[in-house]
Amino acid sequence: MTNVAVKLQTEQLNTKSIGIDAQPSKEVLRELLAGQISAAKSVESAVPEIEAAAIALTNTLSSSNKIIYVAAGSSALMAIADGLELPGTYGISNDNIRIVMAGGAGSLTQMLGGPEDDRDQGGKDVADAGMKRGDCVICLSASGSTPYVLGAIEVAKAEGATVVGIANNPDTPLLNEADISIFLPTPPEVIAGSTRMGAGTAQKVALNMMSTLMAIQLGHVHDGHMVNLQVENLKLQKRAQGMVRSIADCDEVTANAALRDADGNVKLAVLLASGAKDTKQGTEILERNGHKLRPSLSEL
């Protein structure tokens, strides 16, 4: 029987890597960097699909539904890096984010390859994450054929969830079965099959773009400021103060007082520092404008 895996772009030998083990260290590093740059550039062709996915995610959270990431191996690490940052950076509730990975939490300390072959477990895990109609399930697999992820897609579609598929090989089961398919045409890896490198980089870039556009559409970004962040430490307190000063064009004392009165809510603090008479008025203005700061400031 023909081994299908060798036909995958992610499994091919990069001809530029022939003899790499005999090259000087600096040349090896330059080749590794070139591979990363090429992988990142490959994302550009998928911008329309990434936009469609971001809109789907925005609609999902606007309806108080969940975003569920599903992946195995290196792709799961990319999913974790994106999903875990959303609550702190953009104030998205932890209740609206789930991350499902082959092997479970144990894979974070010892990543075994076997669990990714269990299609049934993928379906069970996504169901156990509380997945329901209206949720958006982001499924990642460099090969596009990981059984664990395909099992999750099957269950997600049966339940009426929207499936976003991200893969680095064309015409694969994952891309064919997803509602929104994001193909990242990364070149063969500098180290053949090591998809934690180029494929992983492209996935991370695509996820960053997708979730950031989602946050902008939700009103969590204003003039490049993350105005819905959770103020949880001294660094973020200073960042929040800087945002209020910049947007409201006020001094440090005014910004700190507004943040104190707003209990750390940056959007509300900006309105207070910009002339809202109290937190009640500021809150009412934000609610009338879908908690988006720009139209709220215009109303004020």
Side-chain angles (χ1 to χ4, degrees):
M1 178 180 290
T2 301
N3 184 355
V4 176
V6 300
K7 297 181 180 179
L8 298 177
Q9 179 83 345
T10 50
E11 296 293 329
Q12 296 298 305
L13 178 65
N14 190 323
T15 56
K16 294 181 181 179
S17 300
I18 295 175
I20 193 171
D21 52 294
Q23 293 178 1
S25 297
K26 288 185 177 62
E27 292 305 313
V28 172
L29 292 175
R30 289 190 180 97
E31 192 59 50
L32 292 174
L33 177 58
Q36 293 288 289
I37 293 171
S38 295
K41 286 182 176 179
S42 75
V43 180
E44 186 174 4
S45 64
V47 164
E49 293 77 18
I50 293 171
E51 178 190 27
I55 292 171
L57 296 179
T58 300
N59 293 336
T60 295
L61 291 184
S62 296
S63 303
S64 299
N65 290 309
K66 295 187 297 299
I67 296 172
I68 304 174
Y69 298 79
V70 181
S74 299
S75 294
L77 299 181
M78 300 304 103
I80 290 169
D82 194 64
L84 290 186
E85 290 273 8
L86 296 182
T89 304
Y90 297 122
I92 295 168
S93 172
N94 283 295
D95 293 336
N96 297 110
I97 304 293
R98 296 284 187 276
I99 300 173
V100 175
M101 62 184 298
S107 291
L108 294 176
T109 56
Q110 185 178 12
M111 190 171 289
L112 301 175
E116 73 175 52
D117 291 335
D118 194 335
R119 183 176 180 123
D120 291 341
Q121 191 64 45
K124 180 179 185 301
D125 287 352
V126 76
D128 289 347
M131 184 269 304
K132 65 182 187 305
R133 178 178 296 275
D135 289 345
C136 190
V137 183
I138 304 173
C139 297
L140 300 97
S141 165
S143 69
S145 57
T146 304
Y148 180 88
V149 178
L150 296 180
I153 292 177
E154 182 179 6
V155 171
K157 293 191 72 173
E159 291 297 321
T162 299
V163 176
V164 174
I166 302 178
N168 300 78
N169 287 288
D171 194 28
T172 49
L174 185 151
L175 295 178
N176 292 336
E177 295 173 19
D179 297 302
I180 301 172
S181 300
I182 300 174
F183 168 47
L184 306 175
T186 48
E189 301 288 355
V190 177
I191 309 302
S194 183
T195 53
R196 73 185 184 93
M197 300 174 71
T201 293
Q203 289 177 2
K204 182 65 168 65
V205 171
L207 289 170
N208 281 346
M209 293 166 62
M210 188 166 59
S211 57
T212 302
L213 178 56
M214 173 197 74
I216 292 171
Q217 292 174 338
L218 288 169
H220 298 337
V221 176
H222 180 93
D223 283 344
H225 294 296
M226 52 178 78
V227 291
N228 210 49
L229 91 167
Q230 296 178 356
V231 181
E232 298 175 326
N233 57 35
L234 293 175
K235 177 189 72 176
L236 296 179
Q237 287 175 11
K238 186 174 180 179
R239 182 178 297 165
Q241 178 205 100
M243 286 191 285
V244 175
R245 292 184 65 182
S246 174
I247 299 169
D249 192 21
C250 65
D251 58 27
E252 182 177 334
V253 173
T254 301
N256 284 334
L259 280 166
R260 183 177 62 250
D261 292 343
D263 195 25
N265 184 313
V266 174
K267 295 179 185 179
L268 181 55
V270 168
L271 294 184
L272 292 174
S274 299
K277 65 181 181 181
D278 53 31
T279 57
K280 181 176 183 295
Q281 183 192 36
T283 300
E284 289 172 349
I285 291 173
L286 282 171
E287 289 177 348
R288 277 197 298 272
N289 290 282
H291 292 274
K292 295 183 177 181
L293 189 52
R294 192 173 301 279
S296 296
L297 284 169
S298 296
E299 179 180 334
L300 183 65

